[in-house]
Amino acid sequence: MANDEILKVRDKLNDVSPSFCLAKWYQVTIHLQNGQTHSCHHPWTHKVDVRDLISNPSALHNTPHKKIQRYKMLKGERPAECDYCWKIEDANTENISDRTFKSAENWAMPHFEEAKTMPWDYDFMPRYVEVSFSHACNFKCVYCFPHISSSIMNEFQKFGHYEVSPEYSLQNLEVSGHYPIAHDTHNPYVEAFWRWWPELIKTLEHFRITGGEPLINPNTFRFLDFIKTQPQPKLKFAINSNLGIPDAQFDRFLSSMKVIIENKSIQSFEFYTSVDTHGEQAEYIRDGLNYVNYMKNIRKFLDTLPPETKIIFMCTFNALSVPTFRKFLEDLVQLKKDYKTPWGDPRVVLNLPYLRNPDYLSLAILPKEHLQTLESDFAFIMEHTAEKLHDKWLFMDREISEMQRVINWFRSLDDEANQRHLRKRFYTFVVEHDRRRGKDFTKVFPMLKDFYLQCKDYCTNDSFSEG
Ligand code: SF4
């Protein structure tokens, strides 16, 4: 969508209220492994009361908590849980946040009048559902937690939680309602989801499966089998994968998708995959990743499936993304060149949220000198835009805006005391992380070695002066 159209959407939302956002009504992410839900995916999750599901499985989305947030938005009050957007909007009045980007989407804007006029406590049918069936996952990403990855759960059971994130101790997960239900036992949330499904699918426009790792979960294949027998030609389907799964499993998925797409059993298919920078540094961030095999699987996917299918790279931009992000962008440009739809659009797209949690791995820990690297990456993107090179397959407005907002956010950070605190936590985390996984941060990130030593100094000096 062009920038002036996006601005019109922002104005239309602001006419209802400056905090109105359709994602609160029509988009939901449901973590069935522990019965947590949120709208959209940015706010913290909250628990679904399993008793509410007995008579109304739509309570997986329409929880009492969420209805109150909708009420606040209609009245112009900012829900605190949406601070991701408020920070972006407050950093620069020109910034466009996800409040606008998401509300502009085709699963949201056509329902503008319904959200505006129906009672705030009405049970709305979400048009965009993202679901995680379980936390089973073969990766241990640095910014991930045990309720999302069973591999991290195993590690926590062996070593305990990280001192810097006591809130993710297994005991706290139990108390806060985040402790996952084992994927091989009965799960009332998964059961409620499949009870809701016949009703949900009638108006569902987008369905996305996340994880854990969805391609090792039988519910994913249950959905694919459903689509094979009951085609949903209006449904847009998306799935996430770390692409670190065994070949046989990946091939099974690709052959199912090939049949579904060739039979036109869904309207469209998008494949989301996460990687946050290039090569060895990406492998450090996403433990379990083999960057070379990963890129081979990307090409296998694009070569096997029909040319209208897309891959969206989700780069959760964090402090460790910075040093080699340019090399990743170069790989991305090559893929964009090699794979286009028959009508010339890119089949490979960049999505660039920035990491907020855990904060000690976010951009907030880095010295401002890294702004230069980010600006140079931005210049590289601008050198490869559709406008500049008169070709549709290169970087588009949305990708450019997302990189710009990462830079704007980094530029707006100026809390030195907090930064010192975060750097100490970063160092404490890395020492323990490397110990449990047999890694060496300074070998993988020689370009951040001075920074790492400075963080170490903060830890040593502050604990000396505190002692
Ligand atoms: S305001 Fe932002 S964080 Fe809140 S629901 Fe909308 S897009 Fe998500």
Side-chain angles (χ1 to χ4, degrees):
M1 193 177 269
N3 262 338
D4 53 341
E5 288 172 54
I6 280 286
L7 292 177
K8 276 189 202 154
V9 170
R10 185 180 64 181
D11 293 346
K12 188 169 176 175
L13 294 171
N14 288 350
D15 282 347
V16 177
S17 104
S19 62
F20 188 54
C21 171
L22 293 170
K24 198 66 82 192
W25 277 253
Y26 297 109
Q27 185 175 41
V28 61
T29 300
I30 312 167
H31 305 264
L32 295 170
Q33 70 265 37
N34 54 15
Q36 296 278 334
T37 185
H38 45 166
S39 295
C40 64
H41 68 285
H42 293 308
W44 291 106
T45 60
H46 59 280
K47 188 87 173 176
V48 176
D49 188 332
V50 78
R51 291 165 301 187
D52 293 343
L53 297 171
I54 296 168
S55 58
N56 177 20
S58 100
L60 287 168
H61 172 49
N62 295 298
T63 59
H65 168 87
K66 212 177 290 178
K67 289 177 178 178
I68 290 169
Q69 310 316 306
R70 291 176 191 153
Y71 176 79
K72 287 183 182 174
M73 285 185 161
L74 287 167
K75 298 287 167 212
E77 200 182 315
R78 284 177 161 189
E81 65 177 20
C82 294
D83 68 326
Y84 179 84
C85 284
W86 315 139
K87 276 184 187 159
I88 290 166
E89 293 182 15
D90 292 344
N92 183 329
T93 50
E94 300 297 308
N95 281 355
I96 305 292
S97 72
D98 269 4
R99 180 172 77 90
T100 300
F101 283 129
K102 283 177 180 283
S103 298
E105 295 278 1
N106 53 10
W107 47 263
M109 194 39 79
H111 312 294
F112 176 88
E113 286 301 325
E114 182 189 58
K116 188 180 141 190
T117 53
M118 291 297 280
W120 61 275
D121 57 353
Y122 181 72
D123 282 336
F124 291 86
M125 288 305 272
R127 300 322 203 266
Y128 190 124
V129 172
E130 183 171 304
V131 71
S132 157
F133 286 109
S134 95
H135 76 310
C137 184
N138 50 343
F139 274 27
K140 297 184 284 186
C141 304
V142 277
Y143 44 64
C144 193
F145 296 106
H147 55 299
I148 299 171
S149 161
S150 55
S151 298
I152 296 180
M153 172 63 83
N154 292 342
E155 193 175 78
F156 272 41
Q157 280 165 344
K158 185 169 173 197
F159 295 102
H161 62 276
Y162 284 91
E163 187 191 323
V164 288
S165 324
E167 66 275 32
Y168 292 104
S169 73
L170 298 185
Q171 196 187 7
N172 275 348
L173 290 181
E174 190 77 61
V175 171
S176 66
H178 285 82
Y179 201 96
I181 297 168
H183 56 87
D184 50 359
T185 57
H186 174 253
N187 180 326
Y189 300 103
V190 173
E191 196 247 346
F193 177 83
W194 287 117
R195 254 192 309 118
W196 186 28
W197 180 251
E199 200 54 37
L200 177 63
I201 189 66
K202 286 181 191 162
T203 51
L204 192 60
E205 296 170 22
H206 287 251
F207 184 54
R208 179 166 167 177
I209 305 179
T210 67
E213 169 50 43
L215 296 195
I216 58 174
N217 191 294
N219 285 286
T220 298
F221 291 91
R222 177 174 173 177
F223 165 75
L224 296 179
D225 289 345
F226 171 88
I227 293 295
K228 280 189 208 164
T229 54
Q230 298 185 53
Q232 303 292 325
K234 291 189 180 157
L235 185 70
K236 294 177 177 154
F237 171 53
I239 192 164
N240 293 8
S241 173
N242 60 33
L243 283 183
I245 49 166
D247 284 349
Q249 195 78 350
F250 190 40
D251 292 346
R252 182 184 167 203
F253 169 72
L254 287 179
S255 64
S256 282
M257 283 314 307
K258 197 164 187 298
V259 170
I260 287 170
I261 295 166
E262 285 175 353
N263 289 343
K264 301 197 187 319
S265 303
I266 50 175
Q267 187 185 118
S268 67
F269 171 55
E270 285 181 342
F271 189 77
Y272 288 79
T273 184
S274 298
V275 69
D276 310 311
T277 194
H278 180 271
E280 201 187 353
Q281 291 74 30
E283 291 169 0
Y284 184 95
I285 298 171
R286 297 182 59 76
D287 194 344
L289 173 77
N290 176 318
Y291 189 82
V292 172
N293 282 347
Y294 176 81
M295 283 298 175
K296 269 189 204 154
N297 277 341
I298 294 282
R299 285 180 181 271
K300 184 178 189 176
F301 173 98
L302 291 164
D303 288 332
T304 307
L305 293 186
E308 63 268 27
T309 49
K310 290 188 178 180
I311 287 191
I312 294 104
F313 282 94
M314 287 191 302
C315 297
T316 306
F317 206 83
N318 63 83
L320 308 187
S321 302
V322 177
T324 51
F325 193 63
R326 168 68 68 82
K327 286 170 87 174
F328 169 69
L329 286 176
E330 287 166 7
D331 284 351
L332 198 63
V333 165
Q334 191 57 52
L335 283 168
K336 278 176 176 275
K337 275 184 191 168
D338 293 346
Y339 295 97
K340 303 167 207 170
T341 65
W343 46 94
D345 283 346
R347 292 182 69 196
V348 175
V349 176
L350 176 65
N351 183 217
L352 206 58
Y354 58 81
L355 184 82
R356 291 182 300 157
N357 181 45
D359 50 4
Y360 52 80
L361 291 170
S362 76
L363 277 182
I365 63 171
L366 288 182
K368 279 289 189 292
E369 70 209 36
H370 289 279
L371 197 51
Q372 230 178 337
T373 311
L374 294 183
E375 278 170 347
S376 151
D377 292 342
F378 186 69
F380 176 84
I381 288 176
M382 294 307 286
E383 281 298 306
H384 295 84
T385 59
E387 202 178 321
K388 175 128 185 156
L389 296 181
H390 308 293
D391 207 334
K392 289 201 286 181
W393 52 268
L394 286 162
F395 290 106
M396 297 172 297
D397 284 350
R398 183 163 182 158
E399 293 164 301
I400 297 165
S401 292
E402 288 185 353
M403 186 68 197
Q404 185 69 68
R405 81 179 178 186
V406 167
I407 294 174
N408 287 344
W409 181 66
F410 184 50
R411 197 181 274 129
S412 74
L413 298 166
D414 60 0
D415 185 346
E416 278 183 33
N418 185 44
Q419 192 177 60
R420 190 178 179 98
H421 173 66
L422 292 180
R423 287 179 185 174
K424 288 194 294 184
R425 294 176 70 217
F426 166 75
Y427 175 76
T428 308
F429 169 79
V430 169
V431 168
E432 173 58 14
H433 171 272
D434 285 3
R435 184 187 74 82
R436 12 181 112 176
R437 298 191 186 175
K439 302 205 177 221
D440 185 342
F441 179 84
T442 55
K443 280 211 176 109
V444 181
F445 291 93
M447 53 301 251
L448 290 177
K449 188 171 179 184
D450 289 346
F451 167 72
Y452 175 83
L453 293 175
Q454 191 192 34
C455 297
K456 182 180 179 182
D457 276 352
Y458 285 163
C459 267
T460 316
N461 294 337
D462 287 2
S463 51
F464 181 71
S465 59
E466 280 158 17

